[in-house]
Amino acid sequence: MGDWHPECPARLQAIDDQLIACGLSNLLDHRDAPLASVDALARVHTGEAIARVRDHLPPQGEYFPLDPDTLLNAYSWQAALRAAGAAIAATDAVIAGEANNAFCAVRPPGHHATPDTPMGFCLFNNVSVAAAHAMHVHGLERVAIIDFDVHHGNGTEAAFAGDPRVLMVSFFQHPLYPYTGVHPPGSAPANLVNIPVPAYTRGDTVRELVRQHWLPALDAHRPQLLFISAGFDAHREDDIASMGLVEADYAWITRQLVDVAQRHANGRIVSCLEGGYALSALGRSVAAHLKVLAGLD
Ligand SMILES: [Zn+2]
């Protein structure tokens, strides 16, 4: 999205570097991401939203701003199809039993993309497209989407609010972009567990909120597959927001989700990268997340 932009290619290099440095890379089954089909996108996104990306690609070397934060370059359509395609392929692989779980190291992220508007660095909602694929193609009746990015996943909420098949649990710094997710008492759709937290909230508080609010809701829903919107920008080294999580907190949260998946979903988890912009902290946090997913904690 331009050299100045925090959502940059170096993010994926930082993850790769850290996975190599900590010895995890050799233990993982690495797969390339296929392209998602337009039909798969259309289970979540309107034709207009899809066309807004596909039809505005600028010439090589130029940018087309969809909004001040969200820009297209000549390769954005391909990249966005591969990001969503990774989430779909991961879903197919865990449902086929090729792996218990999968992590999709993808850009662009997805959880701010609503059914009708790409926004907030996100073009298509990778996790939502994969969840819709799991229900439509594989016939799953109950899934959960767990969003621990520091920003509220407004796009995912817009896709599934009121859909009893999908439980969405999240915490997010509030107030903060995109300034959504806080519902007046009694008015929140029943399938959402939104936990707004103030700036400077640390991991011990978040763990208690997860224990009190996420885990009972997840156990009651009995999801057949867990999707994680895995943003690591609540890390205390990440300047895009002001929360105080560290790698051990991401490992702890992941452990709780692995346990939920083992209780209800044959262990099945599909985790997709969302935010995380402090490169070293991002790499270390993903490594902590994957160590638990891989059963090496
Ligand atoms: Zn974020």
Side-chain angles (χ1 to χ4, degrees):
M1 297 196 185
D3 290 341
W4 58 276
H5 203 288
E7 207 290 278
C8 61
R11 297 177 63 230
L12 296 186
Q13 290 157 8
I15 292 171
D16 270 349
D17 286 351
Q18 189 62 39
L19 294 181
I20 292 166
C22 75
L24 209 48
S25 193
N26 287 335
L27 305 174
L28 304 176
D29 174 11
H30 297 260
R31 299 189 183 185
D32 288 331
L35 300 169
S37 68
V38 169
D39 285 350
L41 300 181
R43 291 195 189 102
V44 170
H45 294 287
T46 62
E48 263 179 10
I50 295 168
R52 252 189 105 197
V53 177
R54 185 189 57 213
D55 298 346
H56 291 99
L57 300 177
Q60 192 172 355
E62 295 179 26
Y63 296 96
F64 180 89
L66 295 171
D67 68 36
D69 292 332
T70 313
L71 299 89
L72 302 177
N73 71 19
Y75 308 102
S76 294
W77 171 248
Q78 293 284 306
L81 292 186
R82 288 204 190 276
I88 291 170
T91 300
D92 290 339
V94 300
I95 289 176
E98 296 166 29
N100 275 343
N101 57 53
F103 176 72
C104 304
V106 293
R107 307 178 41 247
H111 73 152
H112 293 310
T114 71
D116 52 16
T117 313
M119 60 181 279
F121 314 171
C122 302
L123 301 181
F124 301 123
N125 196 313
N126 308 318
V127 158
S128 294
V129 167
H133 173 85
M135 295 187 288
H136 183 86
V137 175
H138 295 287
L140 297 198
E141 294 169 346
R142 295 178 312 281
V143 301
I145 300 176
I146 299 96
D147 188 328
F148 58 66
D149 190 277
V150 78
H151 303 96
H152 174 239
N154 61 301
T156 311
E157 176 168 320
F160 294 119
D163 184 337
R165 300 172 301 170
V166 182
L167 173 69
M168 180 182 180
V169 306
S170 71
F171 64 78
F172 48 90
Q173 184 180 321
H174 181 77
L176 185 69
Y177 182 90
Y179 306 100
T180 50
V182 179
H183 300 273
S187 73
N191 67 320
L192 304 178
V193 178
N194 288 2
I195 308 178
V197 295
Y200 309 115
T201 300
R202 296 169 57 139
D204 51 353
T205 303
V206 166
R207 293 186 195 200
E208 194 49 43
L209 292 168
V210 165
R211 257 188 226 109
Q212 278 180 19
H213 299 286
W214 283 14
L215 300 181
L218 287 164
D219 280 330
H221 187 62
R222 296 183 296 117
Q224 295 163 298
L225 175 54
L226 278 66
F227 293 92
I228 304 179
S229 265
F232 298 91
D233 41 9
H235 197 285
R236 73 173 166 206
E237 292 172 29
D238 202 314
D239 292 333
I240 209 161
S242 309
M243 279 182 64
L245 269 58
V246 296
E247 296 92 296
D249 297 313
Y250 290 114
W252 184 88
I253 292 169
T254 307
R255 168 47 55 197
Q256 310 313 307
L257 299 178
V258 165
D259 291 346
V260 169
Q262 279 168 353
R263 287 199 289 277
H264 303 291
N266 291 327
R268 298 186 296 202
I269 297 177
V270 171
S271 177
C272 292
L273 182 65
E274 300 282 0
Y277 306 99
L279 296 180
S280 172
L282 171 64
R284 284 156 24 224
S285 299
V286 170
H289 180 54
L290 294 196
K291 220 172 256 183
V292 179
L293 287 180
L296 300 167
D297 55 324

